Structures are given as C-alpha cells and as structure tokens.
Amino acid sequence: MARRRSARLRAARAGSSRDTDGQANRDRGAEEEENVGRYTSRRLLVVLVIQVLVVGFSLASQRIFSSGTTAGHPRPLPCGLLGNQTKYFVFSNRVVTLRGTFPATVGVDGGRIVSIDRGPKAEAPSGESDELVLDYGDLVVSPGLVDLHVHVNEPGRADWEGFETATRAAAAGGVTTLLDMPLNSKPAATTAAILKEKMRVAKDKILVDVGFWGGLVPGNSGADGSSQAELLGMVEAGAIGFKAFMSPSGIEDFGNAAREDLVSGLRLLSRHSKPLMVHAELPFEVEVDSSASSKYETYMNSRPGEFEEGAVRQLLSISRELGSEGVPHKIHVAHVAEASVLDEVQIYKNKNLRTAVSFTTETCPHYLFFESGGVPDGATQYKCAPPVRAAENREGLWKQLLRGTINTVGSDHSPSPPGLKYLEEGDFLRAWGGIAGLQYGLPATWTAGKERGATVEDMAGWWSSSPAAVAGLEDRGSIEVGKKADLVVWDDEARADTSRESLFHRHKLSPYNDLDLKGKVEATFVSGHLVYSKGEVAGEVCGRIVRT
C-alpha cells in the first residue's frame, strides 16, 4: 500500500496531460485502500477471536489440571506439613509411572499433577528461582496406595479402631485412599441412613481420602421379591460398591448372602456399574479338636481351603449365568487365601476378555508374607478368616499374583481390642479373627515380593492402579498429568520401623510387630497435601469423602 501511495504522488507532481488517467488511477487506489482496510479489520477480528479462545482454553486447563476445581473436586485448602504451599515440584531418580520408572520432576498445583518432566533434576523447572522443589534423590516415588479393604469400625465400635487413628496409620503406610467396610461398625451399613451417618461421622476426622462399601445382605438384596430400596439408596448416597459374605460374618446385623441374594443384588448393581466384593467361603461341617485350641493348625483346619474353592466356583457359576443373559457385572473376590482354585479363575477370565464381565480377585499381605508353620502356639494376633495357609500354598498365591490372576492386594485391616484376642489363654477358636496391618501393607508385600522378583512397577499395579480401577476411581491410582497428586515416597532398601511406638493404629498388637520388613515410607501426599513425613503425621483433616 505504501508503494501505491508513492506512485500517485509522482503522477501528481509530473503535471502531465494524462489527468484523466491520473484521476482513474487515484479512484482505483482509493478503492484498493478501502478493500485492504476491510481485509485488515477482518483479520484483526479473527486474531482477536483466536486469542480469546486460547485464553479461555488456558483458564479451563488451569482449572482442571492445576486447581482441581472440576465438579466433585473443589480446590483443596492449604493443609498438612507444607502449610500454605500448594504449588511445588517433586523430583526423584525413580518416579514410577505407567510408562516405566525413570528420573522425573512432577509438578503439583492445587492438588493435581500438572506436569511430568522426564530427565535429571532442573534447578528451576518452571524458570522461577524461588519455587519449591522437593528432591527425593534415589527414593521411589509411586502413586499413593488405594486400600480397598479396611474395617474402620466407626461409629459404634470406635474403641476397636476409628477414622482418626485408621487414617493416620494409612498415611504412615503410604495409603492415600482407603475404602471402609460396612462392618464391623455398629450398626452395620446396610441401609442408606446408616451409610450416610458413617460419612457424616468420618468427614471431620480423616487424614486421607475415605470411600465406603455398602452391605448386601438378605434383607436388602431383593431376592424373593423383597425391596431393593436400601441398596438403591446407598448407590445414590455414593457407595463405591457393595460387600457380601457367603459365610457367617460374626456380626449379628450382617447376615450371609445366599446365591439368590447375590444374583438379585448383582442385577441391580449392574445398572449402576458398581462392584460387588465377596467374602468367598462356603462352610460345611468339619471336625475340630477343641482340646488343641492353642495350635494354629487347629484353627486352620476348621476353615479348610475347600470352603474357598466351593465359594469361588459358585461365584463363577453366577457370573456365567448373568453373562449368558447379557447382564454386565463386576465381582471382586476378597482376600483369596487358597491358591488351588485360581487356575479356574484365570481360564474364566481369559474367556471374558472382550465382554462386559469383570471377575477380579484380591489377596492380602498376610497371606503373601506369613505361612501357617511359622505361627507360634497361642499367637492369636495371627488369626484371620480365611486362615493363613501352608508355605506351598503361599508360593501358589505369589505365582498367581505375578501372572495377573490376582489383581489387587488389600490389607483387610480388621483390628479389635486386645482382650478379644484371648492372648493369655492363646485360644485360636475363641479369639476374634482379624489382622491389624493397615500401616504395614507396603513393606510386608515388598519384602516378600522382592525375594520373588517383584518390581516397584508391580507394587504400583497391585496397590494403586488396579484397585483404583476396580473401585471406579478414575482420578487416582497412577502418576499422570491431570490426576490427583496422591504420592508415596519410599525407600525400597531401608528397614521399616515396625516398633509398637511407631504404630498409629489404636491398638498396638499386630503380627508385624518388630519384624524385619524392607520398604520404609518416607512421605505421603494426599491431594498434594504432605500428610506424613519421616515419622510425623499432619494434625489437620486433609482427606475427603470419596463418592462414585
């Protein structure tokens, strides 16, 4: 356009007789200037619109990935051992991700993971010299543990455990999300009102995130035409899933479910994509030598492996029935202690890889670490149901865990007051069955697993990504941009402190007391809050109630 203006000026100064042509040229130049102006205006408008869209997208991304203010995930208030610091970086030479373990700097802002920069530590990852970088060197940084199987026992039996002590122990053990069982709280959570009351009681006491299983029992299953209103009410209240017992639970208000209860309940749960976790033992009459009640073998023989075999086969039969009708469903078999039936489970799983059937299994650290021959006489702190079995069976469980037939590991933390263990009498038949192990799940699993070739990636699968998937918790379970900043930092070579003084459970009796376990938890982050570090637990309520 500048060249056109110069041409017109030269024509005017020449004063030639071609005035008519000059006028025409000037008219055409004016018209071109007008066209260029309109084009420029349109261009500026387009650029402005693009800039607005970019800014809007940036703000939306910041909201989702930095501040965590998506629906159901409000921006967390400052909490924990870092005080007001909610934006920082975590560096380690061993960050465990779904793509492997490597040196990386993980950016955290507002409770979410906002960046993962692979490579050596940078002095200032975002270019700001005053930013906080937590350098964990060669320690392992893994996704926080998701423990699907915890008996908190509150309300009603808070003297057995309780939300405050349970979540402190969870934080010290690297557990960032725990799911509370519907029993042994009193009353058991088999109605919507009771489940909501548990949530109300928990919300102002929890240091880590807590979700809840509802109870599936004969009174609410819908079998024989009875009402399923309470099941539906618990679904609407946000229950993660439901728990059923195929054998007597030991709690009066939590009856064991028959086959028809399980089928009826699964039909309803299928419409809401909720998993059903099942205590799988089908008891039959066995002879027990009560005169030898201080012998662990006596108790173990009172609940033989055939109890589990029959129950798992019934669950497989139920799954086949529903699958043949096109009913999608999710069955998760709790605390598998008997390895013999798991080959049948794997065959069934192989046949349903591309169907809407989910049949998954869990085992526990105590089945992977202990063996029946090593349980001392009268040591009732080892009693649990199903029982810890022989060393050969333990190796069978490890084989199935490493091959993927067993999907998750959960603590099945089920404490009680020491008096209910009848330690003075050493009576396995009278003692309450349940192992206190919430704080020791990581080191117990790692100590036994490392001897058998397990890796830190395996640990992240068994304890984080797989349980999160079973529970439908898509926002956690792995170290990925956009997910919750739930992290555990641990030393895979250091000895965990298993002294009673270091134990945050309400009661200090545990079969793990003073054992030589490797895998020391150094720090735990929940939604970006540092809730545990080097033996110190945060004093605030940093956890949230988790609903799905």
Side-chain angles (χ1 to χ4, degrees), residues 12 51 64 77-78 87 162 178 233 308 327 388 411 466 473 480 528:
Q51 287 178 334
I64 294 172
L77 296 173
K87 181 178 181 180
L178 69 81
E308 290 187 76
V327 178
V388 170
S411 69
S466 291
L473 301 176
E480 297 180 78

Side-chain angles (χ1 to χ4, degrees), residues 144-152 166 169-170 173-181 208-213 240 277 332 362-366 408-414 435-442 445 462-468 471 473 476 505:
L145 278 61
V146 178
D147 194 339
L148 298 181
H149 202 149
V150 180
H151 295 268
V152 176
V175 176
T176 53
T177 302
L178 69 81
L179 300 192
D180 180 35
M181 285 289 150
V208 304
D209 287 355
V210 176
F212 295 87
W213 298 95
I240 299 295
M277 180 185 275
H332 191 56
E362 169 200 71
T363 194
C364 304
H366 40 274
T408 70
V409 181
S411 69
D412 190 13
H413 176 69
S414 186
I435 282 180
L438 176 58
Q439 190 168 323
Y440 298 133
L442 186 154
T445 308
W462 301 330
W463 272 106
S464 301
S465 59
S466 291
L473 301 176
R476 68 198 71 199
H505 301 166

Side-chain angles (χ1 to χ4, degrees), residues 89-231:
F89 296 87
V90 173
F91 171 79
S92 169
N93 286 313
R94 302 166 70 196
V95 175
V96 183
T97 76
L98 297 176
R99 296 173 179 82
T101 300
F102 43 74
T105 302
V106 179
V108 175
D109 189 4
R112 296 274 164 166
I113 296 171
V114 296
S115 63
I116 302 174
D117 294 322
R118 186 169 181 169
K121 177 188 173 185
E123 290 301 322
S126 67
E128 299 177 11
S129 59
D130 61 343
E131 62 197 6
L132 176 61
V133 180
L134 303 174
D135 186 350
Y136 288 107
D138 291 329
L139 298 181
V140 178
V141 175
S142 299
L145 278 61
V146 178
D147 194 339
L148 298 181
H149 202 149
V150 180
H151 295 268
V152 176
N153 304 325
E154 188 177 7
R157 290 189 173 96
D159 58 322
W160 290 30
E161 187 61 270
F163 288 107
E164 183 177 349
T165 53
T167 58
R168 287 166 64 86
V175 176
T176 53
T177 302
L178 69 81
L179 300 192
D180 180 35
M181 285 289 150
L183 71 169
N184 305 308
S185 54
K186 186 177 182 180
T190 58
T191 71
I194 297 171
L195 180 63
K196 290 175 183 177
E197 176 63 10
K198 281 171 71 78
M199 294 177 175
R200 186 195 66 78
V201 169
K203 69 181 179 66
D204 293 327
K205 298 180 179 181
I206 53 179
L207 189 61
V208 304
D209 287 355
V210 176
F212 295 87
W213 298 95
L216 174 66
V217 294
N220 64 19
S221 70
D224 300 324
S226 58
S227 173
Q228 292 182 312
E230 293 298 347
L231 274 187

Side-chain angles (χ1 to χ4, degrees), residues 92-399:
S92 169
N93 286 313
R94 302 166 70 196
V95 175
V96 183
T97 76
L98 297 176
R99 296 173 179 82
T101 300
F102 43 74
T105 302
V106 179
V108 175
D109 189 4
R112 296 274 164 166
I113 296 171
V114 296
S115 63
I116 302 174
D117 294 322
R118 186 169 181 169
K121 177 188 173 185
E123 290 301 322
S126 67
E128 299 177 11
S129 59
D130 61 343
E131 62 197 6
L132 176 61
V133 180
L134 303 174
D135 186 350
Y136 288 107
D138 291 329
L139 298 181
V140 178
V141 175
S142 299
L145 278 61
V146 178
D147 194 339
L148 298 181
H149 202 149
V150 180
H151 295 268
V152 176
N153 304 325
E154 188 177 7
R157 290 189 173 96
D159 58 322
W160 290 30
E161 187 61 270
F163 288 107
E164 183 177 349
T165 53
T167 58
R168 287 166 64 86
V175 176
T176 53
T177 302
L178 69 81
L179 300 192
D180 180 35
M181 285 289 150
L183 71 169
N184 305 308
S185 54
K186 186 177 182 180
T190 58
T191 71
I194 297 171
L195 180 63
K196 290 175 183 177
E197 176 63 10
K198 281 171 71 78
M199 294 177 175
R200 186 195 66 78
V201 169
K203 69 181 179 66
D204 293 327
K205 298 180 179 181
I206 53 179
L207 189 61
V208 304
D209 287 355
V210 176
F212 295 87
W213 298 95
L216 174 66
V217 294
N220 64 19
S221 70
D224 300 324
S226 58
S227 173
Q228 292 182 312
E230 293 298 347
L231 274 187
L232 186 58
M234 287 186 280
V235 168
E236 293 173 344
I240 299 295
F242 290 79
K243 174 73 179 291
F245 273 70
M246 298 175 75
S247 60
S249 69
I251 298 296
E252 291 182 0
D253 59 349
F254 202 98
N256 53 299
R259 179 189 176 102
E260 55 267 25
D261 296 307
L262 299 173
V263 172
S264 179
L266 280 165
R267 290 186 188 280
L268 181 142
L269 299 184
S270 72
R271 297 196 291 272
H272 301 277
S273 195
K274 298 286 186 180
L276 177 65
M277 180 185 275
V278 186
H279 180 123
E281 286 184 289
L282 272 180
F284 52 82
E285 190 171 336
V286 295
E287 291 187 9
V288 177
D289 182 6
S290 57
S291 66
S293 62
S294 66
K295 301 288 185 181
Y296 185 76
E297 185 179 12
T298 300
Y299 170 65
M300 181 179 69
N301 291 338
S302 75
R303 301 183 84 119
E306 288 84 357
F307 281 17
E308 290 187 76
E309 291 173 349
V312 171
R313 286 173 182 145
Q314 184 174 109
L315 289 173
L316 289 170
S317 172
I318 290 171
S319 184
R320 290 189 190 97
E321 175 186 332
L322 294 174
S324 68
E325 298 174 11
V327 178
H329 57 278
K330 300 177 180 180
I331 295 174
H332 191 56
V333 185
H335 46 48
V336 175
E338 175 61 48
S340 60
V341 76
L342 289 170
D343 281 337
E344 296 175 43
V345 172
Q346 186 59 53
I347 291 170
Y348 181 70
K349 289 169 74 169
N350 290 343
K351 292 179 179 179
N352 287 276
L353 291 175
R354 299 181 180 179
T355 70
V357 171
S358 174
F359 196 100
T360 53
T361 58
E362 169 200 71
T363 194
C364 304
H366 40 274
Y367 301 130
L368 299 170
F369 188 86
F370 299 116
E371 51 92 9
S372 58
V375 179
D377 289 352
T380 55
Q381 65 267 38
Y382 288 83
K383 181 179 179 181
C384 58
V388 170
R389 305 198 188 280
E392 182 180 1
N393 178 79
R394 178 183 63 185
E395 297 312 308
L397 291 175
W398 271 109
K399 174 185 173 183

